[in-house]
Amino acid sequence: MAYLASATLAAALTAASAAIPNETPSILTAPVTPAAELTAKADLQSTEISVLTYNVKGLPWPIAKGRAEALREIGEELAQLRRDGRQPDVVLIQEGFRDEIEDLVSASGYAHWARGPGRSERAAGPAPEEAKLFRPIRYLRSGEGWGKLTGAGLHVLSDLPILEVRAAPYRYCAGFDCLANKGVMMVRLSLPGGPGEIDIVNTHMNSRKAAKVPTERSLQAHRLQTDELLGFIKANWTAERPLLVGGDFNVKNAPDRYGWRASARPYQVVSEFCSSPSAGCVGQAAVAEPWLKSQDLQAFVSKGPVDVRPVRIDTLFGFDGLKARLSDHDGYLVRYRLSWSPTVLAAAKTVGPVVVRPQFKNPGLRVSVKY
């Protein structure tokens, strides 16, 4: 019986943190138009920020072996990038369940670290109408109803100061994914010498096959999580501030997931936007529907007084032919250019001060600052 319990738990946690599918929308044929008109080009200022999203497969033993060492190696490789002057400004981590994530952070050299939501946090607020037909517990043998064994496994590392953190677990889940308290977190970062502040969202959404429930069940949970993600952004972000979004969306080869609520998104997916020849992105894969070729996505919003554009895409931690990959995902790195007119930006800031409500006292959330 002990062996059976261990095997069942191992299968459960593996699915709870597995990487999964992708879906389709319509390709943009031209770059987005900034919401606010920028003044004469001579008045323009710009800065760049690079963001890496990386599912590090930080699963506990006996589900995955050698992960403690792999996490340390990831931290060391980030440190080498820093010594080379090529480290990402911000790193979004998913599946950071193990305590050795602290070894990764320590080795990497990032000064600021946030994580959330924690294992004990629960979703708040009213449920959407679409959820009335979704039974919270339907497949008990596949992990539903067992309780949360881990937090969300979401972490943000940053060279830029973290001013505020907000996080929320998803209310809905399917199968073994329910064992992890998957959700969404947002950090507000300071941009020294730039246009004030920027919000960055990190998330990890329900798997498909690895959930070990019927596809329709996991699809329904994923769609409800998409609704929750959009609701979280609506409640915590305003268009006056630039917004970037990244994470493991589990949408690979799954257009029915990717396309859900596409018209309601405030953001544009980088791989979709950069597929337009006029977008001017460097490094975009020359394949059909690249947004459906990976579990990992990034997105951006270009509204308000600051214009946001992805300018370069790179892969980190991929297979180089010399040694094994450190995770079952590659790292997806995007460099963004932020452009603004000081005159327009100053005028926009006269609307009124932004009220910052620190969330650091949240019992399931921790912010570590290392100097």
Side-chain angles (χ1 to χ4, degrees), residues 23 27 54 56 67 79 82 91 111 125 170-171 217 238 278 351:
E23 342 289 325
I27 291 183
Y54 190 25
V56 298
R67 299 316 302 160
R82 181 175 298 279
V91 179
Y170 290 135
R171 178 185 278 106
R217 172 72 171 177
T238 58
S278 59
V351 174

Side-chain angles (χ1 to χ4, degrees), residues 48-72:
E48 294 188 353
I49 181 173
S50 56
V51 179
L52 171 70
T53 185
Y54 190 25
N55 182 317
V56 298
K57 195 181 177 182
L59 307 174
W61 185 90
I63 301 167
K65 299 179 180 179
R67 299 316 302 160
E69 180 180 352
L71 291 177
R72 295 188 188 98

Side-chain angles (χ1 to χ4, degrees), residues 166-215:
R166 301 185 185 189
Y170 290 135
R171 178 185 278 106
Y172 308 101
C173 59
F176 288 129
D177 280 55
C178 294
L179 298 178
N181 204 21
K182 286 186 173 180
V184 55
M185 66 181 295
M186 185 184 80
V187 295
R188 183 159 299 159
L189 306 179
S190 173
L191 291 167
E197 301 169 350
I198 186 170
D199 289 342
I200 301 183
V201 167
N202 184 19
T203 190
H204 189 185
M205 304 182 73
N206 211 100
S207 65
R208 187 170 53 172
K209 294 180 180 179
K212 301 301 180 182
V213 295
T215 301

